[in-house]
Amino acid sequence: MKISEILRQLGATVHVTAGLDRDVEVGVVGDLLSFIMGSAPEGAVWVTIQNHVNVAAVAVLKEIPLVLLASGRTPSPELEDHCARESIALASTGLDAFELCGRLYEMGLCGSRRS
Amino acid sequence: MSLNEPLVIEREVKPLDFLAAGETASEFKDTLRSLGISAELCRRTSIVTYEAEMNIVIHGGGGSIAMKMEEDKITIVASDEGPGIEDVELAMQEGYSTAPDFIRELGFGAGMGLPNIKKYSDELEIDTKPGKGTTLKAVIYLDSGEA
């Protein structure tokens, strides 16, 4: 599913509009950066409440095309800048992470296919 | 580039510089990609570099991180003159961490750094002395593929 369509259906606030026509099929959720580093599938949408610049560093290394901030968190200016520089889409929503993941799952996204 | 001559890149890592953290890992990844190294090996190297970099940022009081690229392997060496690791075996256990609360609130300090480095490298050596510092050496073989 296209990132732009996901954001439209969520009614999310978009902070960085890079690469919105990319397709994503997989999602991951977590607020521990090392957990995401170790376990996120490449190309996954990442749902988190962490809103500081290191989120962008992890997203770059894991080739994450879209970061979704949950629970009404807004990105720090540094995170926004870094995502823009690295062409990572960044959006936020008032939905909590549980609800947000549920919506993404309903849209057809799934978790890691690796066992 | 001649493959007989190893390519070495070394970068300084500043203490508690969370803004710059990850830049070395990104740079190494881009360098390897431009040399035609597979995406999987680029990712593994960048994860190892990032975790080692964060350890120096959080615990090591600054230091350096280097990548050496040879014909058959990539070696990451991270050194600091920080407090050292009291019990390496314990530090290798997932979930064990000595990071302070403000670090944990940023989503670091989950006790997964060293376990992640081990997971994504083929060989790992940690040389540490309490009070003197730590040198970590991780090797990734070019023919190793997926970790």
Side-chain angles (χ1 to χ4, degrees), chain B:
Chain B
M1 167 195 132
S2 158
L3 281 176
N4 298 324
E5 204 175 304
L7 169 78
V8 180
I9 308 174
E10 184 167 3
R11 294 287 174 262
E12 185 192 354
V13 181
K14 294 192 181 119
L16 301 175
D17 186 353
F18 291 101
L19 282 176
E23 283 180 5
T24 305
S26 278
E27 187 196 345
F28 287 3
K29 187 182 190 185
D30 290 344
T31 303
L32 292 176
R33 200 180 338 213
S34 70
L35 291 171
I37 302 299
S38 76
E40 183 60 25
L41 291 173
C42 290
R43 275 193 289 270
R44 287 174 55 196
T45 306
S46 64
I47 290 169
V48 168
T49 306
Y50 182 75
E51 295 288 11
E53 201 179 347
M54 287 315 303
N55 281 346
I56 296 175
V57 169
I58 295 169
H59 302 286
S64 68
I65 189 150
M67 175 176 75
K68 183 161 81 167
M69 166 86 199
E70 289 167 285
E71 214 162 330
D72 60 335
K73 65 188 177 193
I74 301 159
T75 307
I76 298 294
V77 178
S79 315
D80 66 58
E81 294 178 359
I85 304 170
E86 292 270 350
D87 186 336
V88 175
E89 208 176 311
L90 198 54
M92 289 303 302
Q93 283 178 24
E94 214 166 277
Y96 178 81
S97 175
T98 57
D101 284 349
F102 81 96
I103 300 281
R104 291 173 195 254
E105 279 160 20
L106 292 171
F108 298 112
M112 298 181 74
L114 289 175
N116 273 350
I117 292 174
K118 191 173 167 65
K119 178 177 168 188
Y120 286 102
S121 59
D122 295 310
E123 280 169 22
L124 174 61
E125 271 174 43
I126 297 172
D127 183 14
T128 183
K129 284 192 187 68
K132 297 271 184 210
T134 301
T135 296
L136 176 151
K137 186 173 136 187
V139 179
I140 294 170
Y141 288 101
L142 297 190
D143 61 1
S144 59
E146 298 247 345

